Amino acid sequence: MEPKGDIALIGLAVMGQNLILNMNDHGYTVVAYNRTVSKVDEFLNGAAKGRDTILGAHSIEEMVRLLKKPRKIMLMVKAGKAVDDFIELLLPHLEPGDLIIDGGNSHFPDTIRRTNYLRSKGLLFIGTGISGGEEGARHGPSIMPGGTPEAWPLVKDIFQAIAAKAPDGAPCCEWIGSDGAGHYVKMAHNGIEYGDMQLICEAYQLMKEGLGMSNEEMHKAFAEWNEGELSSYLIEITRDILAYKDENGEYVVDKILDAAGQKGTGKWTTISSLDLGMPVTLIAEAVFARCLSAMKEERVQASKILKGPKGRLEGDRATWVEDIRRALLASKIVSYAQGFMLMREAAKEYNWNLNYGSIASIWRAGCIIRSVFLGRIKEAFDRDPNLSNLLLDDYFRGVIDRCQDSWRRVVSSAVQIGVPVPAFSTALAFYDGYRSERLPANLLQAQRDYFGAHMYERVDRPRGEFFHTNWTGRGGTVASTAYTV
Ligand code: 2AM
């Protein structure tokens, strides 16, 4: 009998099951398999009941037998060792030209390694970011595939069929680039998500502590914001969360402990930004803000000891709410500018040919950071595909001009009343640094040269020429180029 399976999916947790159902809805015959084999039948008799084009496999051999060639096998298993283990289990059953796809949240260096390893075995590999959670997987996620370029035509139709569709109808899935590019861009997406969430939380705290607004009032403010240029999934769910009451008629948000968790993609993004020397300050602050929040017991102690202002934002409330909205918008522009700077540098470092407009485009729907704003970013890259920094685009420059006074008012007032706004303020500090022709690094270079003879370049000489001053008259004139401190 001719094999019927278009693709196999291993890993029947919710994401895996939902992707199978989504593919099946689009006419693909999918073979389902799982390490714990009993889950295969549970799935066939559960969520997949009545679908005769979802085929269960009870061994890797059976799964491979059910697949058309070249075989396409997608892993939706825990990132890390599980992926490598399954690759090894699959290898003896596959032939040159077959394709393994890792749809988990793998770290991009692993994806680079796996692409090369499988290429050495004659196999194709895709590491793909999939964003949108369970709901997205079921009805349309944003999909960011990278890996062996020859693999893309094999899955393009399936992936674009199951992906979310942007408002203009474009599928939220395009080829991102070679080896680890897809997982890198997914990681950057998650980092940006950390930033967006932190910005919203700072706006919330200012409204709550600074303006004394009730949940209902904040719910209304977020509802209004969601109608305008901030319209996005995260603003929308914040609106809904603020209004959500439990069976006793009490707000759930007020009962939730203020200690944030994290799974590590924000941390990876920040580590990568440090590795690449890119000042992605807002995402870093968002990660650190989660870390500080997690020190709950220590904060409770410190709150009884450390003094500081606990004031209110004085003046017209509606004006402040609008100021906060503008501060959020301007900060968000900085965050995305930083995120795209990071991807640009990563592309240089890892030899990826990234299309930034296309990346913005596939984030417009399906994923957690989906927003009207991303449509604006796509348009900016449509206007100028070589745009070096989003802040320099006419549209975004105009928005910052419009928001700047509010932004400064919000940050300075937050400082004065003692409400922490690490993301709002780091965004503003970055903006002021980025637009500074001169920064105090002349003094910093002098310090380095003073204590370590690290040398400096001069404003009156071409770049690349280095000088040393014998600052103390002692220690000789030999420069230190052989070691770094
Ligand atoms: P399981 O049902 O056999 O535990 C999400 O946890 C998915 O990843 C599940 O399908 C799970 O399979 C799979 N998974 C987790 N760790 C694994 C491992 N070390 N090897 C294979 N599959 C694993």
Side-chain angles (χ1 to χ4, degrees):
M1 203 176 72
E2 280 292 300
K4 294 205 175 60
D6 294 304
I7 185 167
L9 192 143
I10 301 176
L12 298 179
V14 186
M15 284 289 285
Q17 291 195 18
N18 282 356
L19 281 174
I20 292 175
L21 295 171
N22 188 351
M23 290 178 190
N24 193 240
D25 284 346
H26 286 89
Y28 294 100
T29 298
V30 190
V31 183
Y33 180 67
N34 193 67
R35 174 183 62 169
T36 308
V37 177
S38 58
K39 288 195 187 157
V40 175
D41 292 317
E42 279 171 34
F43 175 54
L44 294 181
N45 296 320
K49 201 171 175 63
R51 292 175 182 251
D52 54 11
T53 48
I54 294 181
L55 314 173
H58 301 82
S59 66
I60 289 185
E61 291 82 353
E62 187 187 2
M63 178 189 77
V64 168
R65 241 190 347 261
L66 287 167
L67 283 174
K68 295 181 203 160
K69 293 181 184 177
R71 304 175 184 97
K72 307 170 196 77
I73 300 171
M74 183 157 186
L75 299 171
M76 289 301 297
V77 299
K78 218 169 134 198
K81 192 169 173 305
V83 177
D84 288 313
D85 288 351
F86 256 119
I87 288 174
E88 290 307 319
L89 287 173
L90 289 169
L91 274 177
H93 303 278
L94 300 183
E95 296 169 10
D98 287 347
L99 165 62
I100 298 176
I101 304 153
D102 169 20
N105 251 337
S106 293
H107 198 197
F108 73 94
D110 289 335
T111 306
I112 296 176
R113 170 176 60 76
R114 288 170 187 145
T115 307
N116 291 332
Y117 174 63
L118 287 172
R119 182 181 288 121
S120 77
K121 307 267 178 197
L123 296 175
L124 309 177
F125 185 67
I126 286 180
T128 182
I130 300 180
S131 177
E134 295 169 12
E135 194 57 27
R138 181 67 188 84
H139 299 293
S142 174
I143 309 178
M144 294 152 253
T148 328
E150 304 89 280
W152 176 227
L154 302 186
V155 289
K156 184 175 181 212
D157 289 347
I158 303 180
F159 278 17
Q160 293 193 334
I162 65 168
K165 305 296 176 291
D168 62 3
C172 291
C173 174
E174 278 299 337
W175 184 247
I176 301 289
S178 55
D179 54 59
H183 272 135
Y184 192 94
V185 166
K186 170 60 166 45
M187 177 193 79
H189 163 283
N190 285 28
I192 290 171
E193 176 185 314
Y194 273 56
D196 279 357
M197 292 168 77
Q198 176 63 23
L199 288 172
I200 292 173
C201 289
E202 291 179 16
Y204 160 71
Q205 199 178 7
L206 280 169
M207 287 189 220
K208 188 175 153 74
E209 310 286 337
L211 295 172
M213 288 170 69
S214 67
N215 288 337
E216 196 53 38
E217 286 166 334
M218 291 188 281
H219 161 75
K220 289 206 180 96
F222 278 99
E224 268 178 40
W225 291 5
N226 199 44
E227 299 302 314
E229 53 204 333
L230 280 175
S231 174
S232 60
Y233 173 70
L234 284 169
I235 294 279
E236 181 189 317
I237 66 168
T238 305
R239 173 198 71 192
D240 295 347
I241 288 167
L242 286 166
Y244 194 91
K245 292 180 181 160
D246 63 15
E247 56 282 355
N248 302 321
E250 293 175 80
Y251 288 106
V252 175
V253 69
D254 293 330
K255 302 226 169 122
I256 297 177
L257 186 78
D258 53 327
Q262 49 184 315
K263 280 192 168 169
T265 39
K267 182 175 92 173
W268 286 348
T269 310
T270 303
I271 291 173
S272 175
S273 75
L274 292 169
D275 284 341
L276 296 171
M278 280 291 111
V280 186
T281 61
L282 196 144
I283 295 173
E285 281 293 356
V287 175
F288 289 137
R290 289 195 191 193
C291 300
L292 182 58
S293 80
M295 300 162 65
K296 172 73 177 176
E297 285 72 26
E298 230 177 297
R299 287 190 291 111
V300 170
Q301 285 304 315
S303 73
K304 297 181 181 129
I305 302 166
L306 300 179
K307 300 271 177 289
K310 202 170 176 16
R312 281 285 172 98
L313 296 171
E314 301 299 340
D316 180 53
R317 180 185 277 181
T319 309
W320 272 118
V321 171
E322 176 57 13
D323 278 345
I324 294 168
R325 189 190 71 83
R326 290 183 191 185
L328 198 165
L329 182 57
S331 304
K332 181 167 167 138
I333 293 172
V334 168
S335 181
Y336 282 68
Q338 292 181 342
F340 279 85
M341 282 165 63
L342 178 66
M343 288 190 282
R344 191 177 282 281
E345 197 61 22
K348 262 195 240 160
E349 176 71 18
Y350 301 108
N351 290 317
W352 297 325
N353 184 17
L354 299 184
N355 180 332
Y356 304 100
S358 164
I359 291 169
S361 170
I362 65 175
W363 288 349
R364 284 179 300 165
C367 63
I368 304 296
I369 63 172
R370 61 183 181 259
S371 61
V372 167
F373 185 84
L374 277 158
R376 295 294 193 172
I377 297 183
K378 177 190 178 293
E379 288 163 17
F381 283 110
D382 286 346
R383 279 190 289 277
D384 178 7
N386 298 316
L387 182 66
S388 65
N389 193 301
L390 270 187
L391 288 169
L392 302 176
D393 170 73
D394 282 348
Y395 170 76
F396 288 110
R397 223 178 49 192
V399 177
I400 295 243
D401 283 348
R402 188 153 54 71
C403 294
Q404 192 164 160
D405 288 349
S406 297
W407 193 13
R408 291 184 190 280
R409 212 161 26 245
V410 166
V411 170
S412 56
S413 304
V415 169
Q416 269 170 352
I417 65 169
V419 171
V421 285
F424 280 9
S425 53
T426 198
L428 185 52
F430 176 88
Y431 179 74
D432 284 335
Y434 188 70
R435 68 184 187 86
S436 291
E437 189 186 340
R438 253 189 109 104
L439 286 170
N442 52 330
L443 176 58
L444 194 129
Q445 286 296 82
Q447 292 165 336
R448 295 179 67 240
D449 190 56
Y450 188 113
F451 65 67
H454 293 302
M455 309 209 286
Y456 52 84
E457 294 166 278
R458 295 180 59 96
V459 293
D460 53 0
R461 291 297 182 85
R463 294 294 306 262
E465 273 186 53
F466 286 86
F467 299 87
H468 170 59
T469 295
N470 184 352
W471 298 91
T472 59
R474 289 177 270 114
T477 53
V478 179
S480 155
T481 48
Y483 71 95
T484 49
V485 174

